[in-house]
């Protein structure tokens, strides 16, 4: 079905969910000019058509000018290579994950050391002694058993 330029303008404004006034403002023209085009009282000039296509690049120029094809261009799937920002972000996220695992290991080691510290038994201090020696009875037993085996 063939349409007139005024019908195409009316359809475009409706598809953009605008009214004549908001559409006119978006392309820098007067609402009176758009109303005359939509009502079929005048035809759009080159400047107006160019401004519509610049402001709305997804509008199919063949459809707007001649009524051929679809109102909007088909969106192309674009394969985008990762930007430097994305590459750096992924690198830092990976490094943060590694550091979190390392921190988790360190926390585990500290918790074991704290448990072992709770098992320490101080040797009674002699008045002349300048140092306190701690024994780890559980560890000593394990080492003796391992040496005997």
């Amino acid at each position: 079905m063939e349409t007139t330029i005024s019908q195409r303008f009316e359809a475009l404004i409706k598809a953009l969910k605008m009214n004549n006034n908001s559409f006119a403002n978006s392309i820098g023209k007067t609402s009176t000019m758009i109303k005359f085009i939509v009502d079929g009282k005048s035809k759009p000039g080159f400047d107006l058509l160019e401004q519509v296509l610049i402001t709305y690049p997804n509008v199919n120029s063949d459809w707007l000018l001649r009524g051929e094809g679809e109102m909007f261009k088909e969106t192309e799937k674009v394969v985008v290579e990762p930007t430097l920002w994305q590459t750096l972000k992924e690198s830092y996220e990976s490094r943060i994950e590694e550091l979190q695992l390392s921190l988790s290991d360190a926390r585990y080691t500290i918790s074991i050391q704290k448990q072992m510290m709770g098992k320490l038994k101080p040797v009674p201090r002699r008045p002349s002694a300048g140092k306190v020696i701690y024994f780890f009875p559980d560890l000593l037993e394990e080492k003796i058993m391992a040496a005997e085996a």
Side-chain angles (χ1 to χ4, degrees):
M1 175 176 130
E2 281 192 38
T3 58
T4 64
I5 189 83
S6 62
Q7 291 170 327
R8 290 193 294 275
F9 261 82
E10 185 176 14
L12 177 61
I13 293 167
K14 188 179 280 188
L16 293 172
K17 297 181 180 167
M18 300 175 99
N19 59 35
N20 291 352
N21 190 37
S22 60
F23 180 75
N25 287 335
S26 73
I27 60 171
K29 303 297 178 182
T30 65
S31 58
T32 305
M33 180 184 287
I34 300 303
K35 182 173 176 16
F36 281 5
I37 292 169
V38 169
D39 290 345
K41 294 179 182 175
S42 69
K43 298 203 184 284
F46 177 79
D47 291 342
L48 185 126
L49 292 168
E50 181 181 39
Q51 194 57 46
V52 169
L53 295 173
I54 289 170
T55 306
Y56 301 101
N58 60 332
V59 172
N60 181 352
S61 59
D62 290 334
W63 176 83
L64 185 61
L65 299 174
R66 298 186 302 271
E68 297 173 0
E70 298 297 318
M71 182 184 303
F72 295 104
K73 297 176 185 175
E74 290 184 29
T75 55
E76 296 177 16
K77 292 182 181 178
V78 179
V79 177
V80 179
E81 292 185 26
T83 62
L84 176 61
W85 170 252
Q86 290 169 328
T87 305
L88 287 174
K89 181 182 173 202
E90 289 170 5
S91 174
Y92 281 119
E93 286 173 346
S94 173
R95 183 68 178 130
I96 288 170
E97 193 173 311
E98 290 172 14
L99 290 172
Q100 286 174 335
L101 289 173
S102 179
L103 181 61
S104 177
D105 290 345
R107 285 182 176 147
Y108 177 73
T109 302
I110 290 169
S111 71
I112 290 176
Q113 289 175 344
K114 283 182 179 179
Q115 288 175 0
M116 292 173 66
M117 292 292 288
K119 294 180 182 179
L120 293 179
K121 295 180 182 174
V123 174
R125 191 172 182 180
R126 291 189 292 162
S128 62
K131 296 181 181 178
V132 176
I133 300 172
Y134 292 94
F135 291 97
F136 297 88
D138 293 344
L139 293 176
L140 188 58
E141 285 178 347
E142 290 177 16
K143 287 185 180 178
I144 292 172
M145 292 173 69
E148 291 176 356

